[in-house]
Amino acid sequence: MSVLPEVERLRRKVEAGESLSDAELEALRAHAGRGEGPVLRLTVAHALINAGAEREALPLLEALRRDFPRDLPVMLGLARALLGLERHGDAEALLRQVWSREPGDPEVLKVLSVLALRRGEVGKAQAYVEEALARDPFDGEARLLKEELEAAEFPPPSAPEEQVLRPEFIAALTGALGRARVSFRRQGKDLLVKLATGGVGRVDVGSLYAAYVEAPGTQGLLAYAEALAARLSGLDSGLGSGDTPLESRLRPVLRHPSFVAKAVGALHRPGPAGLEVFYVLEDADFVRYLPESALGPAGLTPEAVDEAAWRNLSAHPAPVHPVVIDRGEVHLAETFSGLWAVAGGDGLDGARLLTGTQHRILSTVASGKPLCVSLARRELTVVGWASQAAVRTALASLEPTPEGIPGLFHQSADGLLLPDGSSF
């Protein structure tokens, strides 16, 4: 089969909304890379959108927009990707630009109809389709849209869900703790709670709020806060012998140097790249740091704690997923992006990078190349090829959460974590 018929076959397949195989997509990419115009590059982007990979298509379309700023198909393709990402405001702004240049264009009307439908504006969606058909009665795509709108049964718009912001959550929790007569004090990003067994426990407020956002339940914020306060009132140090030895429940975590002043009394040591290593007890609900005063009664030394913590963490590597970063947020990728997330979701992923087990997994997926590392998010760690400027730019766009560590780091091919700017 000659090159031109094969390219045409792939282009028509994409235009029909069909998904390409991995081999077909790579072949189309290769042909697009040899061309100068926008057609094949735009076809690659539409192929990614057909496969549900809008986030991978978006940078391709944005580059096309820069190269061909007045090309109508490019602008409509970009609007299609933005719609798929539910960035309705950005899509509408772009479509208004197109509309001002090409008023009444059926292609624009069809995309506007889809946008109105996504927003629940059924009447407006039907009006756009009717206008498109008035201008081109034989437009098959517009006729199909009209048939779908007529056949669909649209439920009444639902009431928007209440969004509880972090300050409101904290206010509800502290109020519930007061009513439950639990002694507590705010200290920076943490909550110091008097333990039922004596002493003081440090609870990470960000973790509590993240858990609420993920699963708020059906009883409302106040009921959730009351239940959480009841759990905190019975919190103990976790240092008791129980059925599990203390050594087996230790895990290391990486913290910014400023955390030393906040975690007074917690065992820690200097870590790599100017960071500090602290030790926490394994707990699905709360972050509890190991106090230095617990070592004597437990018959442990700092060296024994460190060895046990890293051994335990190495036995539980986290999954690694390809990701993309869009507008400062991390999303799963459908195709190769040069970025990966170490996503254990337990706040230990930064430290996991330093274990041999996790490093071998990362080395396999990243072909053993040096990595640029972002520790900006507590729930995952994002890494990418340090040699790619676009990857570094994307990682730098991640704003650190209150529990994250700012800045970028490098991990060398042998697993050593270094400050940003260090040479390999």
Side-chain angles (χ1 to χ4, degrees), residues 299-324:
L300 294 172
T301 63
E303 294 75 18
V305 167
D306 190 70
E307 180 182 353
W310 288 103
R311 181 176 65 248
N312 296 337
L313 186 60
S314 183
H316 297 89
V320 177
H321 303 290
V323 296
V324 293

Side-chain angles (χ1 to χ4, degrees), residues 87-118:
R87 290 171 53 178
H88 298 156
D90 293 336
E92 182 177 24
L94 179 59
L95 289 170
R96 289 191 183 281
Q97 292 181 35
V98 179
W99 183 263
S100 65
R101 286 175 38 200
E102 303 286 343
D105 187 291
E107 296 299 319
V108 181
L109 288 166
K110 287 183 291 186
V111 181
L112 284 169
S113 176
V114 173
L115 172 60
L117 187 58
R118 294 279 180 87

Side-chain angles (χ1 to χ4, degrees), residues 38-161:
V39 176
L40 288 185
R41 290 165 62 189
L42 182 58
T43 305
V44 171
H46 280 296
L48 289 169
I49 296 174
N50 290 350
E54 287 89 349
R55 296 193 189 282
E56 286 78 11
L58 187 61
L60 300 181
L61 289 161
E62 289 174 336
L64 277 168
R65 177 81 191 283
R66 290 191 295 270
D67 295 342
F68 305 94
R70 300 188 61 80
D71 189 279
L72 180 62
V74 168
M75 297 175 77
L76 291 176
L78 179 55
R80 184 187 176 203
L82 292 170
L83 279 173
L85 294 170
E86 297 187 356
R87 290 171 53 178
H88 298 156
D90 293 336
E92 182 177 24
L94 179 59
L95 289 170
R96 289 191 183 281
Q97 292 181 35
V98 179
W99 183 263
S100 65
R101 286 175 38 200
E102 303 286 343
D105 187 291
E107 296 299 319
V108 181
L109 288 166
K110 287 183 291 186
V111 181
L112 284 169
S113 176
V114 173
L115 172 60
L117 187 58
R118 294 279 180 87
R119 287 179 159 174
E121 300 170 340
V122 181
K124 187 179 289 187
Q126 291 172 330
Y128 283 132
V129 170
E130 293 292 349
E131 187 175 350
L133 286 171
R135 294 175 182 276
D136 184 359
F138 302 103
D139 190 316
E141 190 176 10
R143 292 170 65 182
L144 181 60
L145 270 173
K146 183 176 186 294
E147 292 171 4
E148 291 178 352
L149 284 166
E150 291 174 344
E153 295 182 2
F154 298 99
S158 57
E161 294 184 4

